[in-house]
Amino acid sequence: MLKYHSLRDKVFRLENLYSAFRHVKKNKGKAGLDRVSIKQFEADLDTNIMHIHKELKTAIYKPSPVLRVYIPKGRHEKRPLGIPIVKDRIVQQAISPRMNLSGAIFEKDFSDNSFGFRPNRCCHDAIKRVEQYKQEGYRYILDADIKAFYDTIPHKLIMKRLCEKIADGWVLTSPRMNLSGVGLKLSEDKTKLTNFKRGFRFLGYNFINKYKGISAKSRDKLKDTIRDITRRTQGVNLKAVIGNLNPVIRGHVNYFWLGNVQKVYRQLDSWVRVRLRCPR
């Protein structure tokens, strides 16, 4: 099996670190435990990048603890999220093009049915693949959910796969410091065997018989966002409110255009007009 050697110099190369920062900036995100925002980091970018460069080159770099926050998951649940400091996010990005899903090292080994976080693939491709299997005669679906996936991803298994492809011990140090976990488990209350007749939800779409539309959860989430934008207490004029609404609605339509959505969007259009006339 082909192994990749001497990746270290490619990771801490200044050009690569600046490119990594641009990705971090594009992804936005809040400050980590050190309370240094992307904007603050950028204010002295050259010095900060050089500092990362020297730490990586001399092998003294160590990632900082992440900031643990809880973000909404649906209407009533919350899920934990770890926010690394900006510096660590840059290092992760500097390594990821060569090690993660977008890298040439592993990309060719992934399943053709894998679409998440891969180059030139998107959710629409996954939706179309489901439709393809339906047309080919497949009827049953295992609707499975892995409980706390990112908290329980198996450390040893991931490192084993990395070591099969990469021989540069320095590059392997970073995932060793960042990975943890005890093993994956299915969430029993969210896992079931179903079929197209009974229906199931996938990537925000609701599949049932020949119908493919917007799931109730996705529709409710959109309405909650619209309520926030059109709330009377916002204190902005109608033109500004509409300006804030348009990209939200446009993005939603662009995502769900594969479905049977005309009736739903006509109802939402009427509801939005009422909201604009009588915000509350």
Side-chain angles (χ1 to χ4, degrees):
M1 180 182 290
L2 177 66
K3 280 199 172 187
Y4 291 80
H5 301 260
S6 303
L7 298 175
R8 175 180 176 179
D9 61 316
K10 297 176 178 64
V11 172
F12 62 67
R13 192 175 57 196
L14 287 173
E15 178 186 352
N16 188 46
L17 293 176
Y18 278 105
S19 176
F21 170 76
R22 289 192 292 271
H23 280 285
V24 170
K25 183 179 179 180
K26 182 180 178 181
N27 292 339
K28 301 179 181 179
K30 296 183 178 180
L33 275 176
D34 62 357
R35 304 299 179 188
V36 176
S37 67
I38 294 174
K39 185 176 181 180
Q40 290 170 323
F41 189 95
E42 189 176 21
D44 197 9
L45 182 60
D46 291 340
T47 301
N48 289 328
I49 291 293
M50 185 57 68
H51 183 66
I52 295 174
H53 170 77
K54 289 180 179 179
E55 284 195 5
L56 291 173
K57 188 174 183 179
T58 56
I60 64 171
Y61 165 78
K62 289 185 178 180
S64 300
V66 299
L67 175 65
R68 178 57 63 100
V69 298
Y70 290 86
I71 61 174
K73 184 180 180 181
R75 285 189 161 188
H76 307 293
E77 298 181 41
K78 290 188 176 182
R79 67 177 178 88
L81 177 69
I83 303 178
I85 64 174
V86 175
K87 171 184 169 182
D88 290 343
R89 301 202 307 256
I90 291 171
V91 174
Q92 291 169 7
Q93 282 289 340
I95 296 174
S96 64
R98 291 163 183 83
M99 292 181 64
N100 288 346
L101 302 182
S102 60
I105 296 176
F106 293 103
E107 179 63 29
K108 60 181 176 293
D109 296 326
F110 284 110
S111 166
D112 188 47
N113 287 320
S114 171
F115 295 92
F117 305 101
R118 293 183 64 187
N120 304 314
R121 289 176 173 236
C122 65
C123 292
H124 285 167
D125 296 322
I127 296 293
K128 291 175 182 177
R129 183 62 58 84
V130 172
E131 287 286 353
Q132 175 189 330
Y133 284 143
K134 181 181 176 182
Q135 295 300 320
E136 291 176 0
Y138 290 89
R139 291 291 174 264
Y140 289 94
I141 300 96
L142 176 61
D143 189 358
D145 181 87
I146 298 175
K147 188 175 183 179
F149 174 76
Y150 290 106
D151 293 328
T152 59
I153 188 169
H155 180 171
K156 290 182 180 180
L157 178 61
I158 297 297
M159 288 309 305
K160 181 176 181 292
R161 290 291 291 126
L162 291 177
C163 291
E164 287 174 358
K165 288 282 191 174
I166 297 173
D168 191 326
W170 181 90
V171 172
L172 292 170
T173 299
S174 181
R176 279 197 180 101
M177 291 188 291
N178 283 287
L179 280 174
S180 62
V182 295
L184 304 178
K185 294 182 180 179
L186 290 176
S187 178
E188 292 185 9
D189 59 331
K190 296 181 180 179
T191 299
K192 64 180 183 294
L193 184 65
T194 185
N195 56 40
F196 284 99
K197 186 176 181 179
R198 288 200 298 268
F200 60 95
R201 194 178 72 222
F202 181 60
L203 296 178
Y205 280 79
N206 190 49
F207 289 80
I208 184 165
N209 288 322
K210 297 181 179 180
Y211 176 83
K212 178 173 79 265
I214 307 170
S215 71
K217 184 177 180 180
S218 298
R219 188 169 62 248
D220 290 342
K221 185 177 179 180
L222 173 64
K223 294 180 79 170
D224 286 343
T225 302
I226 292 172
R227 286 188 185 97
D228 288 339
I229 294 174
T230 58
R231 195 162 283 142
R232 183 177 295 167
T233 54
Q234 293 287 353
V236 294
N237 62 45
L238 182 60
K239 185 177 181 180
V241 171
I242 293 174
N244 292 331
L245 269 179
N246 280 338
V248 171
I249 296 173
R250 190 181 303 119
H252 199 270
V253 172
N254 287 341
Y255 182 78
F256 285 102
W257 68 270
L258 289 175
N260 311 101
V261 296
Q262 292 83 358
K263 182 179 179 180
V264 173
Y265 278 128
R266 280 198 298 268
Q267 293 171 344
L268 281 170
D269 180 70
S270 299
W271 180 79
V272 169
R273 291 175 186 275
V274 172
R275 291 285 309 174
L276 290 174
R277 287 195 297 267
C278 307
R280 56 190 182 279

